[in-house]
Amino acid sequence: MIYPAVCLWRRYAKNGGGEWAVGGTAYSLKKWVKVQGTFEGETIEDCKNWLKLRGYPLSSNTQFKLGQGGVYVLKGTQEGQWLRAWAETIRSAVNARVVHGKILPLGPQRVDPSRLVDVVNLDGF
């Protein structure tokens, strides 16, 4: 109900016009990709052993899950991990009212979880 009022205000009010641009991103942070050669009913341990035998590099951070038709591996970063890494940079940019098109450097990665209210449902936080 409020959206039409905001649109009319932005269009016709003296102080409502202007550019309403916000920062954003247009790519996914993560994607689950099926491991080639896996099949329904295969365990994650069997898949890891199969990959090691073929010389695929596996780190301790590599995440697997069982899915339809086989085993899937996580490519990219989970939302919560991304937020944990960038939260302090975003917070300091907002507090400093940064308004420019320059790319911000990644800030400190330590974040107090009590200051982040609405992130409990993010994957990986």
Side-chain angles (χ1 to χ4, degrees), residues 38-49 66 70-71:
T38 61
F39 51 89
E40 188 78 36
E42 184 175 17
T43 66
I44 292 175
E45 282 304 314
D46 290 341
C47 179
K48 285 182 181 179
N49 293 335
L66 294 174
V71 178

mmCIF file of all heavy atoms in Angstrom, residues 38-49 66 70-71:
data_model
loop_
_atom_site.group_PDB
_atom_site.id
_atom_site.type_symbol
_atom_site.label_atom_id
_atom_site.label_comp_id
_atom_site.label_asym_id
_atom_site.label_seq_id
_atom_site.Cartn_x
_atom_site.Cartn_y
_atom_site.Cartn_z
ATOM 1 N N THR A 38 29.316 -38.976 -9.922
ATOM 2 C CA THR A 38 28.642 -39.479 -8.726
ATOM 3 C C THR A 38 27.255 -39.984 -9.098
ATOM 4 O O THR A 38 26.729 -39.670 -10.155
ATOM 5 C CB THR A 38 28.524 -38.384 -7.643
ATOM 6 O OG1 THR A 38 27.757 -37.303 -8.145
ATOM 7 C CG2 THR A 38 29.883 -37.896 -7.209
ATOM 8 N N PHE A 39 26.688 -40.773 -8.210
ATOM 9 C CA PHE A 39 25.398 -41.392 -8.498
ATOM 10 C C PHE A 39 24.533 -41.393 -7.245
ATOM 11 O O PHE A 39 25.027 -41.153 -6.139
ATOM 12 C CB PHE A 39 25.591 -42.821 -9.018
ATOM 13 C CG PHE A 39 26.476 -43.654 -8.126
ATOM 14 C CD1 PHE A 39 25.945 -44.382 -7.068
ATOM 15 C CD2 PHE A 39 27.854 -43.703 -8.344
ATOM 16 C CE1 PHE A 39 26.761 -45.130 -6.243
ATOM 17 C CE2 PHE A 39 28.670 -44.461 -7.519
ATOM 18 C CZ PHE A 39 28.128 -45.173 -6.472
ATOM 19 N N GLU A 40 23.265 -41.635 -7.427
ATOM 20 C CA GLU A 40 22.293 -41.682 -6.326
ATOM 21 C C GLU A 40 22.711 -42.760 -5.337
ATOM 22 O O GLU A 40 23.053 -43.876 -5.711
ATOM 23 C CB GLU A 40 20.906 -42.011 -6.890
ATOM 24 C CG GLU A 40 19.782 -41.901 -5.887
ATOM 25 C CD GLU A 40 19.369 -40.467 -5.621
ATOM 26 O OE1 GLU A 40 19.386 -39.665 -6.558
ATOM 27 O OE2 GLU A 40 19.031 -40.169 -4.473
ATOM 28 N N GLY A 41 22.735 -42.414 -4.048
ATOM 29 C CA GLY A 41 23.073 -43.377 -3.009
ATOM 30 C C GLY A 41 24.539 -43.396 -2.630
ATOM 31 O O GLY A 41 24.925 -44.047 -1.667
ATOM 32 N N GLU A 42 25.385 -42.696 -3.356
ATOM 33 C CA GLU A 42 26.811 -42.638 -3.017
ATOM 34 C C GLU A 42 26.996 -41.759 -1.785
ATOM 35 O O GLU A 42 26.322 -40.736 -1.630
ATOM 36 C CB GLU A 42 27.607 -42.064 -4.192
ATOM 37 C CG GLU A 42 29.099 -42.067 -3.966
ATOM 38 C CD GLU A 42 29.868 -41.599 -5.179
ATOM 39 O OE1 GLU A 42 29.286 -40.974 -6.076
ATOM 40 O OE2 GLU A 42 31.076 -41.869 -5.226
ATOM 41 N N THR A 43 27.902 -42.131 -0.909
ATOM 42 C CA THR A 43 28.148 -41.334 0.294
ATOM 43 C C THR A 43 29.173 -40.248 0.002
ATOM 44 O O THR A 43 29.919 -40.318 -0.987
ATOM 45 C CB THR A 43 28.657 -42.208 1.449
ATOM 46 O OG1 THR A 43 29.950 -42.710 1.096
ATOM 47 C CG2 THR A 43 27.699 -43.339 1.749
ATOM 48 N N ILE A 44 29.224 -39.272 0.875
ATOM 49 C CA ILE A 44 30.184 -38.181 0.722
ATOM 50 C C ILE A 44 31.610 -38.710 0.876
ATOM 51 O O ILE A 44 32.513 -38.300 0.142
ATOM 52 C CB ILE A 44 29.881 -37.052 1.733
ATOM 53 C CG1 ILE A 44 28.562 -36.373 1.353
ATOM 54 C CG2 ILE A 44 31.012 -36.045 1.793
ATOM 55 C CD1 ILE A 44 28.078 -35.332 2.323
ATOM 56 N N GLU A 45 31.826 -39.633 1.799
ATOM 57 C CA GLU A 45 33.169 -40.210 1.992
ATOM 58 C C GLU A 45 33.629 -40.954 0.742
ATOM 59 O O GLU A 45 34.795 -40.858 0.351
ATOM 60 C CB GLU A 45 33.187 -41.131 3.214
ATOM 61 C CG GLU A 45 33.241 -40.397 4.520
ATOM 62 C CD GLU A 45 34.422 -39.434 4.617
ATOM 63 O OE1 GLU A 45 35.559 -39.828 4.262
ATOM 64 O OE2 GLU A 45 34.206 -38.292 5.041
ATOM 65 N N ASP A 46 32.728 -41.719 0.111
ATOM 66 C CA ASP A 46 33.079 -42.414 -1.135
ATOM 67 C C ASP A 46 33.467 -41.409 -2.210
ATOM 68 O O ASP A 46 34.423 -41.619 -2.966
ATOM 69 C CB ASP A 46 31.915 -43.273 -1.631
ATOM 70 C CG ASP A 46 31.660 -44.472 -0.741
ATOM 71 O OD1 ASP A 46 32.574 -44.841 0.033
ATOM 72 O OD2 ASP A 46 30.556 -45.028 -0.808
ATOM 73 N N CYS A 47 32.740 -40.314 -2.287
ATOM 74 C CA CYS A 47 33.022 -39.278 -3.283
ATOM 75 C C CYS A 47 34.385 -38.638 -3.024
ATOM 76 O O CYS A 47 35.168 -38.430 -3.957
ATOM 77 C CB CYS A 47 31.925 -38.220 -3.266
ATOM 78 S SG CYS A 47 32.198 -36.882 -4.440
ATOM 79 N N LYS A 48 34.680 -38.335 -1.760
ATOM 80 C CA LYS A 48 35.976 -37.738 -1.413
ATOM 81 C C LYS A 48 37.123 -38.679 -1.778
ATOM 82 O O LYS A 48 38.143 -38.257 -2.338
ATOM 83 C CB LYS A 48 36.036 -37.405 0.074
ATOM 84 C CG LYS A 48 35.242 -36.185 0.466
ATOM 85 C CD LYS A 48 35.404 -35.924 1.952
ATOM 86 C CE LYS A 48 34.610 -34.726 2.395
ATOM 87 N NZ LYS A 48 34.738 -34.463 3.836
ATOM 88 N N ASN A 49 36.957 -39.960 -1.453
ATOM 89 C CA ASN A 49 37.998 -40.939 -1.793
ATOM 90 C C ASN A 49 38.186 -41.038 -3.300
ATOM 91 O O ASN A 49 39.309 -41.132 -3.797
ATOM 92 C CB ASN A 49 37.655 -42.311 -1.202
ATOM 93 C CG ASN A 49 37.716 -42.306 0.310
ATOM 94 O OD1 ASN A 49 38.419 -41.497 0.905
ATOM 95 N ND2 ASN A 49 36.959 -43.193 0.932
ATOM 96 N N LEU A 66 24.744 -34.249 0.068
ATOM 97 C CA LEU A 66 24.038 -35.234 -0.750
ATOM 98 C C LEU A 66 22.851 -34.550 -1.404
ATOM 99 O O LEU A 66 22.162 -33.744 -0.772
ATOM 100 C CB LEU A 66 23.565 -36.396 0.111
ATOM 101 C CG LEU A 66 24.678 -37.249 0.722
ATOM 102 C CD1 LEU A 66 24.078 -38.277 1.663
ATOM 103 C CD2 LEU A 66 25.488 -37.919 -0.353
ATOM 104 N N GLY A 70 23.233 -37.636 -6.717
ATOM 105 C CA GLY A 70 24.631 -37.771 -6.351
ATOM 106 C C GLY A 70 25.091 -36.787 -5.296
ATOM 107 O O GLY A 70 24.305 -36.264 -4.518
ATOM 108 N N VAL A 71 26.397 -36.511 -5.319
ATOM 109 C CA VAL A 71 27.028 -35.641 -4.332
ATOM 110 C C VAL A 71 27.304 -34.289 -4.982
ATOM 111 O O VAL A 71 27.718 -34.222 -6.141
ATOM 112 C CB VAL A 71 28.346 -36.268 -3.817
ATOM 113 C CG1 VAL A 71 29.036 -35.366 -2.824
ATOM 114 C CG2 VAL A 71 28.068 -37.626 -3.198
#
